[in-house]
Amino acid sequence: MPNAGDFKPYFIVPPLSSMLMGALLTIGLTLKHAYIPTPSPVISSSNTVSAGFYNSLVILLMALAGLIVVYLLIRYAKFKAFAIFKDAMIIFLIYTLVTFYLYEYATYYNIYPLLLVITFYPLSLGLTAVLGYFSLYSNSQVLRSIGIVSYSAMAGSLLATSLPPVTAAMVPIVLAVYDAFMVYKGLLGKLAESMKGNTGRSLLRGLVLDLRNTAIGVGDLVVYSLMSSFTISLASDSMVLTLTVLVLGVLVGFYATYRILLPFRGYAPALPLPVLLGFVPVILILHAI
């Protein structure tokens, strides 16, 4: 079981990298006023508190549906079906994200050669293949980290810039509550119990990132990126201050999670303390200015 002495300084690299990469991606999009996709038909585009609650509920239901599918496939030992489903979904997600960002940056930074059919699709497919291999099949911890952090940061940045601001502010807080409940009382805890050890984490490769004798979920990295991207998109003149507060708070919360919560059961929710110590102060700062 993990203990306080197991924490290593490099454990902060994935959450830190996810936040910084998300922030940089968002700066690149917002400075050029890049096209941000409208929310899906089930997401309200209204920037109100009631719409924020509705959108958060929709996102929670989607997260829960995905978790149920993963749990049932593993619970009934459908390991091959699970592996095929997981790898296909991750590769499709990576392709979608890579294609979006490649098109946006090529368009708004006038890199027209990248928009040609003979260059755009081979490059998009090539980057997808590289990140997919890193995330799912590489035996190198460094390469897996690069792949998983990259697509997590891209997903978080896209969510932060496509959701209405009120929804984007509410989602991390709602997901932190959901995370705590599902880890200690719900399916995430049961899944963590059944997936302890190297065999379990190997089966979940691409959905979790190994940190020595424990792991952090892709969903956590996506939320970290979402928070930094949201901060960048709204902070304007106070960008440096708010991003610094966020990063320090999230890293302190991540460290406290490992030192305080993780030893009890060998697993712990990675969102509540980082959101409480990092994102909530940022919301208060943004409200004050």
Side-chain angles (χ1 to χ4, degrees):
M1 180 177 291
N3 56 62
D6 291 329
F7 188 89
K8 301 297 180 183
Y10 69 82
F11 287 3
I12 70 170
V13 173
L16 176 61
S17 300
S18 180
M19 286 186 287
L20 295 181
M21 184 176 178
L24 290 174
L25 287 170
T26 302
I27 290 173
L29 289 176
T30 56
L31 287 182
K32 282 289 184 176
H33 306 290
Y35 167 77
I36 303 299
T38 55
S40 70
V42 297
I43 296 292
S44 171
S45 60
S46 176
N47 192 36
T48 62
V49 173
S50 58
F53 277 113
Y54 164 77
N55 289 338
S56 298
L57 177 61
V58 170
I59 292 171
L60 281 181
L61 291 176
M62 289 190 292
L64 181 60
L67 177 60
I68 290 173
V69 171
V70 170
Y71 178 78
L72 290 177
L73 287 174
I74 293 176
R75 173 67 176 79
Y76 292 101
K78 305 296 184 181
F79 297 141
K80 186 174 182 179
F82 169 73
I84 294 173
F85 171 77
K86 169 186 65 91
D87 290 3
M89 290 299 99
I90 290 175
I91 290 172
F92 176 74
L93 174 63
I94 292 174
Y95 174 75
T96 301
L97 292 169
V98 166
T99 301
F100 168 77
Y101 282 102
L102 182 61
Y103 178 80
E104 294 301 329
Y105 277 93
T107 300
Y108 286 92
Y109 288 91
N110 301 321
I111 312 175
Y112 292 114
L114 292 183
L115 296 173
L116 298 175
V117 173
I118 59 173
T119 54
F120 183 85
Y121 287 105
L123 183 56
S124 179
L125 290 171
L127 289 173
T128 298
V130 170
L131 291 179
Y133 172 76
F134 285 0
S135 303
L136 297 169
Y137 308 115
S138 175
N139 291 321
S140 167
Q141 176 65 41
V142 174
L143 294 183
R144 283 204 305 275
S145 298
I146 291 173
I148 291 173
V149 167
S150 294
Y151 79 77
S152 299
M154 287 190 285
S157 177
L158 183 57
L159 281 174
T161 50
S162 61
L163 291 173
V166 171
T167 297
M170 294 176 66
V171 164
I173 298 172
V174 172
L175 287 179
V177 176
Y178 165 85
D179 191 32
F181 175 79
M182 293 302 289
V183 166
Y184 289 128
K185 298 294 184 180
L187 290 181
L188 277 175
K190 295 179 180 178
L191 187 61
E193 286 284 359
S194 63
M195 291 290 102
K196 282 184 177 179
N198 293 331
T199 301
R201 290 210 298 274
S202 177
L203 186 62
L204 293 175
R205 180 175 290 185
L207 296 178
V208 299
L209 178 60
D210 290 338
L211 295 175
R212 203 174 181 185
N213 60 346
T214 186
I216 183 172
V218 164
D220 303 317
L221 296 175
V222 170
V223 175
Y224 295 159
S225 172
L226 188 161
M227 293 190 293
S228 67
S229 299
F230 171 83
T231 300
I232 288 296
S233 65
L234 292 185
S236 61
D237 295 337
S238 62
M239 182 186 301
V240 175
L241 170 64
T242 51
L243 185 60
T244 300
V245 170
L246 174 75
V247 169
L248 291 178
V250 168
L251 294 182
V252 170
F254 182 75
Y255 177 72
T257 298
Y258 199 98
R259 290 290 301 267
I260 299 171
L261 299 182
L262 192 59
F264 289 114
R265 297 189 182 182
Y267 56 86
L271 289 182
L273 291 182
V275 169
L276 177 63
L277 299 179
F279 195 56
V280 171
V282 163
I283 296 295
L284 296 177
I285 292 173
L286 292 175
H287 180 71
I289 60 178

